[in-house]
């Protein structure tokens, strides 16, 4: 018989860390005849194998940390839910290995085919307007090219998830499918998780030092840990209809990921009148159709799905191969605290929002990039546990930011409907008249056309918001600014990425040239990979000598590079000198997740003392 302090079979669990703070002391894991023994032990247990969970597993295994990932289903994603893949997420895949990045591109729809967002009455009908999206406008394309060594693409979750999961398992992750998380208890030494083997119907326990809840928008881990949330679940209802049909004659001449259909009389969904999304060009598609969240979920029959597809595409004789249909809710909900003690939540478990801006899987993968190296260093005894507190400090504000942005983007569709005369409450017949009025040669019609153009152009904040994707700056105990003032954004922070080496910001990408063969190498490529990196220039050699000594004393690996003429990496273009924001004798200290954690503008009087002070703070030593 198990101790009362062990995994209780019923009811919501109380975190044992809160019991310790109340002075109750640690629990004893006692079973009949001796000490309690879990069925399985591991260092990190990951609940969920979606983008967040699989990325965490892949990174931990790459860093040499024992981990297990479980999934309540028999396999991975069976629908192409998340798909927009931005440059920052691709940088994480690149950090896992060029072979991982290359395989993603192999299965992805490339950036140029993501093209222009189309607004139309139907795919076969009249086009209302369009905007270049996802970095395909020439000015935006230039920003993308200068910002990262990677390219944005469209990689459905049915391809991204297996890639990350395969990478994790091939590098050491122990994976269990058909294994359902039930509950957990944490204490001062670890977490005991009770799971259900869905094949045998038997419960078993897994003992881990840390638990990661990457179990989606209905996270039971977050619920059991009583993480606080703000916002509201279920603010709208939508359904997905996945089907195959050759639509190339309607779309190949105007490639796009998203075709927005404005039809008078159509039901208004959570993210527009109706959406036809390209899954694979040009024969696999997903329709997003809305329903009243206050009514029962609709039954999507083959006949219903075919009618909806024919209506939005505008082809009354269209034959489709229905693959699947499901309903989902639009949420506006984020965790204000993402972790508690030895339990960390990430991905949709902590940021629940509509697919606007394509932020879901991208942010989930970045959650994992932030946490994995910290767990690895703590587990290896290279850092104190206080380092793990920085995960919440750094990622909770991001959760709020992206949930707010995604829901704001829904509201920004309203002006398009208003300009078309299709605002909510207008009679469908009057809507049609208002829609047709834009073709007149009157002053009123000219004003309407201008309003339509402006409303569509404003959707840049959803479909080309490069700054939202790339401008994340951290503030925590894992960053040392030494009082340096954060630089203000000179351009719109949502639209434009603005590089800086201010501690807390992502290291700017610059192409350097390798001595000898002249090969282009990104500044990001010489950093990351689970270790700290020090970058300096000619005159900064004392930093390199100092960091070698400090690394040895701390028992950690720190890569050091002097950038300059006749060095391994050369700044032929002068771009690094412009963006580094330090003198040649200064230095940047870069974390394993590519974020600058400290910088010195010039050579200090005692480089070793400075580096020791900074790393003691960051690593909580």
């Amino acid at each position: 018989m198990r101790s009362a302090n062990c995994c209780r079979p019923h009811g919501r669990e109380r975190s044992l860390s809160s019991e310790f703070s109340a002075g109750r002391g640690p629990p004893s894991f006692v079973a009949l005849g001796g000490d309690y023994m879990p069925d399985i032990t591991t260092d990190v247990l990951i609940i969920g194998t979606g983008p967040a969970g699989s990325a965490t597993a892949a990174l931990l295994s790459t860093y040499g940390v024992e981990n297990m990932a479980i999934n309540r289903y028999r396999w991975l994603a069976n629908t192409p839910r998340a798909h927009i893949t931005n440059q920052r997420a691709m940088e994480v895949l690149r950090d896992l290995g060029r072979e991982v990045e290359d395989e993603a591109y192999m299965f992805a729809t490339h950036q140029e085919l993501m093209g222009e967002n189309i607004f139309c009455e139907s795919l076969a009908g009249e086009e209302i307007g369009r905007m270049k999206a996802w970095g395909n406008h020439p000015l935006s394309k230039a920003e993308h090219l200068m910002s990262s060594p990677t390219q944005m693409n469209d990689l459905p979750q049915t391809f991204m998830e297996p890639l990350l999961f395969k990478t994790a398992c091939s590098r050491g992750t122990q994976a269990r499918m058909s294994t359902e998380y039930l509950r957990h208890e944490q204490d001062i030494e670890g977490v005991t998780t009770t799971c259900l083997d869905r094949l045998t119907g038997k419960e078993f326990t897994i003992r881990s030092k840390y638990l990661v809840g990457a179990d989606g928008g209905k996270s039971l881990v977050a619920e059991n840990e009583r993480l606080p949330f703000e916002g509201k679940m279920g603010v709208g209802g939508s359904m997905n209809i996945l089907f195959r049909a050759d639509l190339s004659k309607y779309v190949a001449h105007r490639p796009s990921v998203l075709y927005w259909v404005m039809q008078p009389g159509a039901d208004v969904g959570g993210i527009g009148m109706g959406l036809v999304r390209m899954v694979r060009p040009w024969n696999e598609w997903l329709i997003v159709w809305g329903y009243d969240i206050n009514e029962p979920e609709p039954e999507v029959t083959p006949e219903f799905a075919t009618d909806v597809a024919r209506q939005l595409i505008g082809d009354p004789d269209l034959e489709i191969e229905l693959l699947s249909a499901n309903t989902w809710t639009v949420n506006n909900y984020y965790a204000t605290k993402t972790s508690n003690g030895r339990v960390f939540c990430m991905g949709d478990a902590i940021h629940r929002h509509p697919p606007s801006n394509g932020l879901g899987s991208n942010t989930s993968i970045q959650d994992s990039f932030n946490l994995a190296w910290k767990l690895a260093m703590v587990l290896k005894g290279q850092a104190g546990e206080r380092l793990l507190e920085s995960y919440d400090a750094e990622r909770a504000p991001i959760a709020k930011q992206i949930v707010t942005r995604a829901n704001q983007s829904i509201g920004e569709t309203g002006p398009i409907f208003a300009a078309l005369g299709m605002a909510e409450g207008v009679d469908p017949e009057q809507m049609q008249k208002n829609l047709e009025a834009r073709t007149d040669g009157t002053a009123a019609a000219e004003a309407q056309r201008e309003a339509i153009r402006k409303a569509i152009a404003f959707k840049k904040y959803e479909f080309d918001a490069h700054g939202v994707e790339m401008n994340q700056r951290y503030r925590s105990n894992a960053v040392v600014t030494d009082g340096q003032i954060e630089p203000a954004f000179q351009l719109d922070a949502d639209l434009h990425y603005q590089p800086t080496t201010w501690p807390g910001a992502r290291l700017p990408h610059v192409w350097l040239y390798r001595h000898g063969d002249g090969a282009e190498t990104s500044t990001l490529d010489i950093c990351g990979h689970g270790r700290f990196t020090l970058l300096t220039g000619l005159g900064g050699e004392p930093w390199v000598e100092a960091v070698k000594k400090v690394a040895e004393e701390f028992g950690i690996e720190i890569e050091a590079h002097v950038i300059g003429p006749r060095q391994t990496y050369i700044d032929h273009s002068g771009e690094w000198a412009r963006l580094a924001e330090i003198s040649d004798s200064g230095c940047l200290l870069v974390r394993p997740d590519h974020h600058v954690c400290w910088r010195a503008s010039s050579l200090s009087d005692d480089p070793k003392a400075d580096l020791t002070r900074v790393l003691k703070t960051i690593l909580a030593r």
Side-chain angles (χ1 to χ4, degrees):
M1 182 175 179
R2 293 180 185 172
S3 159
N5 281 327
C6 196
C7 301
R8 292 185 292 270
H10 302 292
R12 180 177 289 179
E13 306 301 326
R14 176 187 174 92
S15 168
L16 293 185
S17 60
S18 61
E19 296 181 4
F20 301 155
S21 62
R24 301 184 185 184
S28 58
F29 293 93
V30 180
L32 185 64
D35 292 340
Y36 171 79
M37 292 295 292
D39 297 294
I40 300 171
T41 60
T42 188
D43 281 345
V44 181
L45 174 61
I46 302 161
I47 312 298
T49 56
S54 289
T56 302
L59 287 161
L60 288 174
S61 289
T62 302
Y63 301 157
V65 173
E66 180 184 288
N67 67 93
M68 173 175 284
I70 67 170
N71 180 349
R72 71 192 304 268
Y73 303 105
R74 67 176 181 84
W75 189 229
L76 306 173
N78 59 357
T79 59
R81 299 184 287 276
H83 60 113
I84 299 296
T85 307
N86 65 36
Q87 288 177 297
R88 187 60 184 136
M90 286 303 301
E91 288 171 358
V92 180
L93 269 62
R94 187 182 180 95
D95 191 80
L96 282 167
R98 295 298 292 275
E99 71 279 7
V100 179
E101 180 192 15
D102 290 344
E103 187 169 339
Y105 292 137
M106 182 172 68
F107 289 108
T109 296
H110 291 187
Q111 187 171 7
E112 60 270 18
L113 290 182
M114 297 171 71
E116 301 171 309
N117 272 9
I118 306 297
F119 298 83
C120 56
E121 295 187 44
S122 69
L123 266 65
E126 191 168 6
E127 184 174 323
I128 297 168
R130 65 175 73 180
M131 63 157 289
K132 289 189 180 295
W134 315 120
N136 279 296
H137 188 284
L139 293 176
S140 182
K141 184 182 287 292
E143 284 193 17
H144 279 69
L145 289 172
M146 292 189 298
S147 299
S148 175
T150 66
Q151 293 84 48
M152 173 174 264
N153 59 79
D154 187 284
L155 186 65
Q157 193 165 338
T158 42
F159 292 91
M160 173 69 87
E161 223 171 275
L163 172 58
L164 291 170
F165 186 71
K166 176 187 72 173
T167 302
C169 294
S170 67
R171 297 182 184 183
T173 296
Q174 291 282 356
R176 286 185 63 111
M177 314 306 281
S178 300
T179 301
E180 182 176 354
Y181 162 87
L182 297 178
R183 57 193 174 271
H184 72 268
E185 284 276 6
Q186 65 166 307
D187 55 75
I188 57 173
E189 294 181 345
V191 185
T192 300
T193 301
T194 303
C195 299
L196 173 68
D197 185 325
R198 300 182 75 184
L199 299 180
T200 65
K202 295 179 180 179
E203 291 188 11
F204 65 96
T205 57
I206 303 173
R207 179 72 174 166
S208 60
K209 294 173 183 174
Y210 296 98
L211 176 67
V212 174
D215 51 336
K218 297 179 181 179
S219 172
L220 191 56
V221 176
E223 180 183 343
N224 287 344
E225 204 53 54
R226 300 184 183 183
L227 294 183
F229 280 80
E230 290 186 2
K232 184 179 179 182
M233 293 283 282
V235 297
S238 286
M239 69 183 80
N240 287 349
I241 300 171
L242 181 65
F243 67 96
R244 289 195 184 102
D246 183 2
L247 303 183
S248 54
K249 66 179 179 179
Y250 301 125
V251 300
H253 62 289
R254 50 177 183 177
S256 177
V257 171
L258 304 175
Y259 296 83
W260 298 87
V261 179
M262 312 291 187
Q263 285 187 357
D267 292 337
V268 177
I271 56 176
M273 280 282 184
L275 172 64
V276 182
R277 172 193 144 192
M278 181 277 297
V279 177
R280 308 302 284 171
W282 306 110
N283 58 13
E284 188 172 335
W285 302 86
L286 187 145
I287 281 176
V288 181
W289 192 250
Y291 70 90
D292 189 342
I293 192 68
N294 298 310
E295 298 293 330
E297 292 184 2
E299 181 184 358
V300 185
T301 64
E303 294 75 21
F304 176 84
T306 300
D307 287 345
V308 170
R310 286 174 174 173
Q311 180 180 344
L312 295 188
I313 293 164
D315 184 343
D317 300 318
L318 179 71
E319 293 297 326
I320 73 168
E321 178 189 352
L322 180 63
L323 300 177
S324 67
N326 65 287
T327 58
W328 51 278
T329 59
V330 178
N331 302 313
N332 187 353
Y333 206 58
Y334 57 88
T336 56
K337 190 171 186 294
T338 62
S339 64
N340 184 34
R342 293 177 174 272
V343 179
F344 303 84
C345 287
M346 59 171 55
D348 290 353
I350 58 170
H351 33 82
R352 308 173 191 181
H353 54 90
S356 318
N357 289 80
L359 296 170
S361 63
N362 294 291
T363 308
S364 300
I365 290 170
Q366 291 165 56
D367 289 342
S368 69
F369 203 33
N370 183 287
L371 179 62
W373 71 268
K374 298 172 183 177
L375 284 172
M377 296 197 79
V378 171
L379 285 164
K380 293 176 182 179
Q382 298 169 337
E385 285 196 328
R386 278 196 306 108
L387 170 63
L388 299 174
E389 296 173 5
S390 65
Y391 172 72
D392 178 69
E394 293 176 352
R395 296 309 292 178
I398 304 301
K400 178 180 180 179
Q401 176 202 5
I402 63 126
V403 170
T404 303
R405 177 65 257 176
N407 280 276
Q408 186 176 334
S409 291
I410 292 179
E412 290 168 355
T413 305
I416 299 178
F417 296 135
L420 293 170
M422 296 173 63
E424 190 173 346
V426 179
D427 177 79
E429 287 190 14
Q430 185 60 49
M431 282 187 190
Q432 189 63 49
K433 292 178 181 178
N434 295 342
L435 188 61
E436 292 173 357
R438 77 186 193 282
T439 65
D440 295 338
T442 64
E446 183 177 353
Q448 183 185 19
R449 290 192 294 271
E450 182 181 8
I452 293 169
R453 288 194 298 270
K454 287 182 177 179
I456 290 177
F458 193 71
K459 293 300 288 179
K460 184 178 178 72
Y461 281 90
E462 178 177 356
F463 304 125
D464 203 15
H466 197 219
V468 172
E469 299 164 358
M470 303 289 283
N471 276 333
Q472 296 170 2
R473 299 175 181 177
Y474 294 151
R475 298 163 183 81
S476 75
N477 59 3
V479 172
V480 177
T481 64
D482 283 344
Q484 297 174 57
I485 298 173
E486 179 183 0
F489 289 102
Q490 301 301 311
L491 302 171
D492 190 312
D494 278 357
L495 296 182
H496 303 283
Y497 165 62
Q498 292 158 76
T500 177
T501 62
W502 179 74
R506 163 190 166 276
L507 179 73
H509 153 71
V510 171
W511 288 117
L512 302 174
Y513 300 88
R514 193 167 59 203
H515 180 73
D517 60 9
E520 281 189 329
T521 304
S522 171
T523 46
L524 299 178
D525 292 337
I526 61 176
C527 297
H529 309 292
R531 60 179 178 252
F532 281 78
T533 306
L534 183 136
L535 302 178
T536 187
L538 295 173
E541 289 84 357
W543 292 114
V544 177
E545 294 305 313
V547 84
K548 289 178 182 177
K549 297 175 183 177
V550 173
E552 185 176 355
E553 290 176 6
F554 277 68
I556 63 176
E557 183 180 2
I558 304 178
E559 193 83 5
H561 298 286
V562 177
I563 299 172
R566 298 185 181 178
Q567 302 301 309
T568 303
Y569 297 105
I570 307 170
D571 179 27
H572 284 314
S573 68
E575 192 71 5
W576 175 245
R578 184 178 70 84
L579 289 178
E581 298 177 327
I582 57 173
S583 69
D584 285 351
S585 67
C587 78
L588 300 176
L589 189 62
V590 185
R591 304 189 328 188
D593 59 358
H594 300 159
H595 280 257
V596 177
C597 55
W598 181 69
R599 71 179 178 186
S601 59
S602 59
L603 185 63
S604 73
D605 294 334
D606 193 340
K608 184 175 181 294
D610 282 332
L611 288 167
T612 300
R613 167 182 63 87
V614 168
L615 282 167
K616 275 187 175 180
T617 300
I618 292 169
L619 298 179
R621 294 280 287 256

